[in-house]
Amino acid sequence: MGSEADCERDERIERQVWALIGKTAKYADGTPNLLLSHMLDTAAVAERIWEDYLAHASRGTLDRMAGGPGRGRELLMWLAALHDLGKATPAWQGKYPEAAKAVREAGLTWHAPTVEQYGWSHQHAGGYLVRRFLREEGWPPEHVEWVWPLVAGHHGFFPLAAGIKPPPPARGQAEGRQGWGEVQRALFHKVGGLLELRPAARQVPAEVPSRAQQLHLAGLIAMADQMASAKEYFGGIDDPAKVTLAGARERADTSWTALGLRRGWERLPVPDDGVFERRYGDPPRPVQRLAAETARTMPAPGMLIIEAPMGEGKTRAGLVVAEILAARFGYDGVFVGMPRWSTADPMFREVKEWAEATQDGLGAHVALLHLWQNLSPDWTALHDATPEQRTEALGHCGEDADTQREERTGDQSPSEFFFSAGRGLLCPFVVSSLDELLYSAARSNWASTRMAGLLGKVVLLDEVHATDVHGSQFLQEALRWLGQARVPVVLLSATLAPEQRRQVAEAYLTGVTGRDEYDGDSTAAPEGPARVTAICPPLDGGTTPATPVARACGSFSPDRPYTFEVLPEDVLRSSPEPADAALTARLAEELENGGCALAIRDTTPRAQSLYRALQERFGPDDVVLLHEHMTARDRTVRTDLCLRGLSPRDGSHRPRRLVVVATRVAEEAFDVDVDLLVTDPAPVDLLLQRAGRLHRNPLRRRPARLGAPRILITGMATGDAGESSTSGVPSTPGFLSSCEQRYGRYPLLVAAHVILEAVTGAGEPWVLPRRIPALVAAAYGDPLTLPAAWRDGAEAARREWLDVRRARADQARRLLLSRRGGGEGATLAGLHYVAARVLPGGRDLSALVRGEEPSAEAVVVVRDARGYRTMSGLRLGEGGQLPAAQIDDLLTHTMELPADYAPLHPPVLHPLPAWDQKPRDPRLSIRRALVLDVRHQVVLEGRRLRYDAELGLVDEGVVGGS
């Protein structure tokens, strides 16, 4: 028996442990929440995450790491509870008067001025204390060193070990003297007892997890903490007698049900050979059949690269492959990454339909991660619908770390919990720009939560070739982490260059092997227009992966020669009107007997100019304009019109004659079938992408004049005077300055060479799809032998192009999540050392992974004598007030401004007065308005802009200029 003094000491420590506050009354629904209560709440939520959210594959991985069945659940609960151990310090308790009073009354003291002067974050304090106590419990150093960063990084950033120590000038006051150590140690042990777990000394895992698995665990802990911090469901408890594990579990159950959280698939069967006909009504095409067969025979989850020409059904093949891999290996959702934000919108509808076809009710749990709120075509079409219809159509999951939203419940859309603080990827099914994946590979906040959302899913990336050299560094970094975690990855591409194929394969294999660089053979690429490459890790969990297996098959589309014609243009001329007049006359001739054409212009002003000329010739019903600088409503309605009217599968809505004038928005994931293509210059792979919109359905009957696929090239000068040469080989071509700035002169020279060879007959014709791999390989392989008259200028252009690419790649590497070769070890410690500035998501973070200045975005409103209104006439109240039910309608008038105006955001663009007043609606509080006058004009930085219902945003030039 202990002495009376020991009993008194134990009672004192017990009283002091229960005096610690975890949430102040402000953040716990009016009543302070005891620290032990919050720790148990977080553990109970972690248990629900284990039982009702984690994929079978994830649970199996954690169980193996922790030491056996059920051990993963215990470890996750315990670590989740310990996340706020650092609040048991004067540094945290002393910040809040209500907490400080209770702790001082229990007999714990500190020097308040010192603690106030030298801060110590509770997450760093927690890492420091956990590290100390695990050492005391005899944990092996290799396990101590991977566990403490999970606690120190539970708010999204992972510090170095040196960064978690208490501030030396505080002289122990921040950590606590005179009994604080006993209380902290007692709290550490008491948590395990209340959770009914084995003592800490017996919680040692069986193996050290990979860094990817550590990041997954860190993200799950952060998820549990964020859920358990919701005061709506976890109100404060200040009575120790009411703090129990059973009570915490009841609170966790209530919040889980109210939030509508769930995992994705449940007991998904492996699809059989008839899946394509059931899903899509058609038998599988060659590449679809090959991809499905390969997925069914992969010995372990790995990477599958599907390469096939445009129009072969790669997207559908990718979705079915994802379903097969998920069913075989225990994954329960899918992330679908598209090249751009705009291309994700049409894919959202297809993925919803596919998910619903796999299991009833899953279509409602597909999220569209988007920079804009509620602006997918499905939503725009329903902007006047009832609230119930809107909820059913809604599949949007945005991010905004600075606001809190009202939680939406029910089964009609993804839980509102996923809509902030980097949590979007935690949704079971996600359609997004590729940017969301790239964020997870950037050294910015909440990489752990994003990675936790990816590691239970199959990752499907479409049009992977479209990632530029800056974004490719983040893509390769993401693939390394996914490879290390053995996450199934499916890559789709029509024009993947050999070097790109090697880079993505080796990035994944580097993760699988755990090396800085992969030194095996990853270049398998058999001949054929369609190819499927499988890369699998070994079954025994070793570090030497199996040799990539690649198989080829024929194309669904027949080989056809694509002919080119260059319409020379004076590229130095400031006005495109003469060229527009010539092209309009030519299109009138080509479309005399009907037909549909697509004209892709390099810039918005060029597209607007051609649209005006075509409208005058054809009338308003036969021409559609589509570009980036339109309101979301205008753009999505027109995109939907094009996709329906020019569908390669359905001809019931096809117009007799139509010309779509577009910018690069029509380059990727724009599933249309046109009879004639007009395009400004672009690199070879992008020209092939654009050519994929031409004669996409080989069985369609077309006007006789348009029976063979033809491409008219504009925006290029083929001679010194801008006229074509008759000698066979022209002098060095000239290009639009905008094209050279975007792509570089050298890739344009290569494209011009292969085009002119096809025009003159000097080279092999473009027989597609057979020649696609060869054309892409030639464009990005060894330098081509260009005409003698071009060589000096071409070599200089090539050196400049390579220098720019190297510089952009180096810039990106400085911001990657890990620094290869930096000796950073096997843990997350220091993961955010020299981190990127805190970027919660949206345009700033998108700019980081794309290497661009963040673009400006604004909601377009008109101000007249009566106040504010939208372009469609919706009247706003005083200062821009609007009923909550009409906010989504307002937001469909959101528009992206040209990059030239990015510096104006936010200094010139401001919220309307009512948007910034409390209580703020989170949908408006982060918005900026572009306020137009009654003529729909505004002057920004000395330039007059006008929004035109047909043309979109028009730059009318310098105010007062000639």
Side-chain angles (χ1 to χ4, degrees), residues 141-488:
E142 64 271 20
H143 285 294
V144 174
E145 295 308 309
W146 75 259
V147 167
W148 72 256
L150 306 188
V151 175
H154 76 266
H155 279 192
F157 279 93
F158 297 89
L160 291 165
I164 65 173
K165 297 178 180 178
R171 299 175 184 177
Q173 291 294 329
E175 179 183 356
R177 297 175 173 179
Q178 301 172 348
W180 275 97
E182 292 178 320
V183 171
Q184 292 157 352
R185 190 172 291 102
L187 177 63
F188 173 79
H189 289 289
K190 193 170 188 63
V191 165
L194 290 174
L195 292 176
E196 302 170 357
L197 301 177
R198 289 162 298 138
R202 296 175 54 199
Q203 288 283 358
V204 180
E207 59 187 49
V208 175
S210 69
R211 292 177 80 229
Q213 292 166 348
Q214 294 170 35
L215 200 59
H216 188 198
L217 263 175
L220 297 177
I221 292 169
M223 178 183 178
D225 177 31
Q226 290 162 13
M227 287 187 63
S229 298
K231 60 184 179 182
E232 299 91 336
Y233 311 110
F234 296 90
I237 298 177
D238 57 3
D239 182 357
K242 296 180 180 179
V243 178
T244 64
L245 178 58
R249 281 171 167 159
E250 183 177 346
R251 284 147 67 93
D253 291 348
T254 299
S255 68
W256 193 272
T257 302
L259 292 173
L261 297 174
R262 57 160 292 166
R263 64 167 57 94
W265 284 305
E266 297 279 0
R267 298 179 296 277
L268 181 69
V270 179
D272 58 23
D273 293 339
V275 61
F276 282 97
E277 292 188 67
R278 289 197 306 276
R279 296 279 187 272
Y280 305 114
D282 295 312
R285 296 176 178 182
V287 73
Q288 294 172 336
R289 183 181 298 107
L290 178 60
E293 290 173 355
T294 305
R296 288 193 184 95
T297 57
M298 289 175 69
M303 174 185 281
L304 202 67
I305 305 175
I306 303 174
E307 299 173 77
M310 298 70 69
E312 293 287 312
K314 293 186 298 297
T315 300
R316 291 179 172 180
L319 291 173
V320 170
V321 162
E323 190 179 342
I324 293 171
L325 295 177
R328 291 190 61 214
F329 300 117
Y331 294 84
D332 73 343
V334 174
F335 169 80
V336 180
M338 303 299 293
R340 300 181 186 278
W341 299 105
S342 57
T343 58
D345 284 355
M347 180 59 66
F348 169 56
R349 181 186 305 161
E350 181 163 354
V351 173
K352 280 176 69 77
E353 293 173 354
W354 164 76
E356 185 66 24
T358 64
Q359 282 185 1
D360 290 345
L362 281 187
H365 293 275
V366 179
L368 175 62
L369 295 190
H370 208 293
L371 289 178
W372 291 341
Q373 301 291 330
N374 307 339
L375 303 180
S376 74
D378 287 322
W379 177 268
T380 302
L382 290 171
H383 69 267
D384 290 325
T386 65
E388 290 77 14
Q389 288 172 314
R390 290 188 180 198
T391 301
E392 186 174 358
L394 180 63
H396 176 93
C397 202
E399 292 187 15
D400 171 25
D402 297 326
T403 63
Q404 293 186 1
R405 307 178 184 213
E406 179 183 352
E407 305 292 357
R408 187 173 60 243
T409 61
D411 295 328
Q412 297 303 311
S413 60
S415 170
E416 189 74 22
F417 172 78
F418 298 128
F419 283 47
S420 63
R423 300 194 292 246
L425 293 180
L426 294 169
C427 295
F429 299 91
V430 176
V431 181
S432 169
S433 161
L434 181 66
D435 289 19
E436 286 289 340
L437 174 76
L438 305 187
Y439 297 163
S440 68
R443 210 174 312 142
S444 60
N445 207 9
W446 300 122
S448 59
T449 312
R450 293 186 172 96
M451 195 62 72
L454 290 170
L455 265 52
K457 296 180 175 65
V458 179
V459 173
L460 170 62
L461 306 181
D462 201 0
E463 312 267 15
V464 70
H465 55 269
T467 312
D468 69 6
V469 66
H470 182 97
S472 288
Q473 309 309 310
F474 292 96
L475 173 60
Q476 292 168 46
E477 174 72 0
L479 291 175
R480 290 184 188 96
W481 286 87
L482 296 175
Q484 188 176 92
R486 306 298 203 265
V487 172

Side-chain angles (χ1 to χ4, degrees), residues 847-864:
L848 183 147
V849 298
R850 289 187 178 271
E852 303 167 346
E853 285 295 323
S855 59
E857 174 194 288
V859 181
V860 181
V861 297
V862 178
R863 185 171 189 174
D864 57 22

